[in-house]
Amino acid sequence: MIDAQQSGGVLHLVINRPEKKNALTRSMYNALAEAVTKANQDTEVSAIVLSGAGGVFTAGNDLDDFRARAADANPKPSAGLAFIEALMDCDTPVIVAVEGLAIGIGTTLLLHCDSVITGRSATFKTAFVDLGLVPEAASTVTMPLHLGARRAADLLLMGEVLTGDEARECGLASKVVDDGTALDEALAQAERLAGKPRDALRASKRLMRAPWHDQVKAALEREREVFSQRLRSEDCQTALNRLSRR
């Protein structure tokens, strides 16, 4: 369900589960984390592009996986956060092409990437509080850093929905393009990056993230603990059961 294709110095990863709006399962997170980690070690890869199949980026975490994890007395470590950590530790530039839905972690993962190209009518939403949960992927730090505290509250607390144009205006996205062209633009950007000196690119990215890298890591751990507690809460169980009946 994660397709990988390499051309020149660009690795293109595709979330390919369109029948479920590219909702991410544990195995898909594991595949993404492995691919990003491997690409970061590959001297032939200078840029990574991430996109979704079928005109959708991702509807976020698969709800069945949420339910199974909530019911497990001894749950395994979060595969989603392992993928986020792979992105956080990746020195290779990561460009994301967003079309259609970018829900939950589909929005928060963007804050760990270097460029986000969005279609004009894409939809960005984080509904953690509505599910009885808390934000994840270190978004309690990365979103205020990128968007400012007020705009972060709009997304993380109010669950406000953004279009592609609005995402660009507030700094969540780098560039907005006509619907259906985000991937072409992302691949073009990646090819330009692949033509630059690879070591200089990687060193520059490390320097750019150094000032807040430890702070972001600490936020990830704080959120991990509280998210796990909230996943077993009555609020979350009620919300998940309500969604399962739809």
Side-chain angles (χ1 to χ4, degrees):
M1 297 182 200
I2 302 298
D3 298 334
Q5 190 172 40
Q6 186 170 337
S7 177
V10 178
L11 175 66
H12 181 197
L13 301 175
V14 183
I15 305 170
N16 190 3
R17 196 189 180 203
E19 72 280 5
K20 293 292 186 178
K21 298 181 181 179
N22 295 332
L24 291 157
T25 63
R26 183 176 185 84
S27 63
M28 293 167 72
Y29 283 128
N30 287 337
L32 284 168
E34 182 179 357
V36 168
T37 300
K38 183 177 179 181
N40 195 42
Q41 299 167 347
D42 189 339
T43 58
E44 299 300 314
V45 176
S46 294
I48 300 169
V49 172
L50 178 62
S51 68
V56 173
F57 182 51
T58 174
N61 202 96
D62 185 275
L63 290 180
D64 288 338
D65 271 20
F66 262 155
R67 293 187 192 97
R69 192 156 182 263
D72 193 339
N74 295 292
K76 296 177 182 178
S78 169
L81 293 188
F83 167 51
I84 294 298
E85 289 180 285
L87 286 176
M88 290 169 62
D89 294 334
C90 184
D91 294 332
T92 303
V94 180
I95 302 170
V96 185
V98 178
E99 300 277 5
L101 299 175
I103 307 299
I105 198 169
T107 289
T108 56
L109 75 84
L110 304 176
L111 299 163
H112 300 282
C113 300
D114 303 288
S115 181
V116 177
I117 312 301
T118 177
R120 201 167 303 280
S121 64
T123 300
F124 301 82
K125 180 178 175 63
T126 60
F128 302 114
V129 173
D130 294 340
L131 292 174
L133 297 168
V134 296
E136 39 74 286
S139 57
T140 54
V141 167
T142 56
M143 196 168 286
L145 278 172
H146 284 269
L147 279 63
R150 303 302 185 197
R151 208 68 178 104
D154 288 342
L155 270 70
L156 296 178
L157 302 183
M158 296 299 296
E160 183 175 325
V161 178
L162 300 181
T163 64
D165 284 316
E166 291 167 333
R168 172 66 184 88
E169 288 169 6
C170 72
L172 180 61
S174 311
K175 185 175 185 179
V176 60
V177 295
D178 291 337
D179 292 339
T181 66
L183 179 57
D184 289 341
E185 177 62 26
L187 289 170
Q189 279 197 7
E191 288 171 3
R192 289 197 294 273
L193 286 172
K196 299 178 184 291
R198 180 175 180 273
D199 289 346
L201 270 178
R202 291 164 60 86
S204 296
K205 180 174 175 176
R206 282 195 299 271
L207 288 168
M208 290 173 66
R209 72 171 184 244
W212 57 80
H213 190 62
D214 290 345
Q215 183 183 2
V216 172
K217 286 272 193 179
L220 188 80
E221 294 307 316
R222 288 194 300 271
E223 294 169 1
R224 189 198 305 268
E225 181 178 352
V226 181
F227 191 96
S228 181
Q229 294 169 0
R230 293 302 309 165
L231 195 59
R232 294 171 179 76
S233 70
E234 183 178 350
D235 288 341
C236 183
Q237 297 296 322
T238 299
L240 291 177
N241 289 334
R242 182 176 65 249
L243 289 171
S244 69
R245 292 193 293 269
R246 289 183 180 178

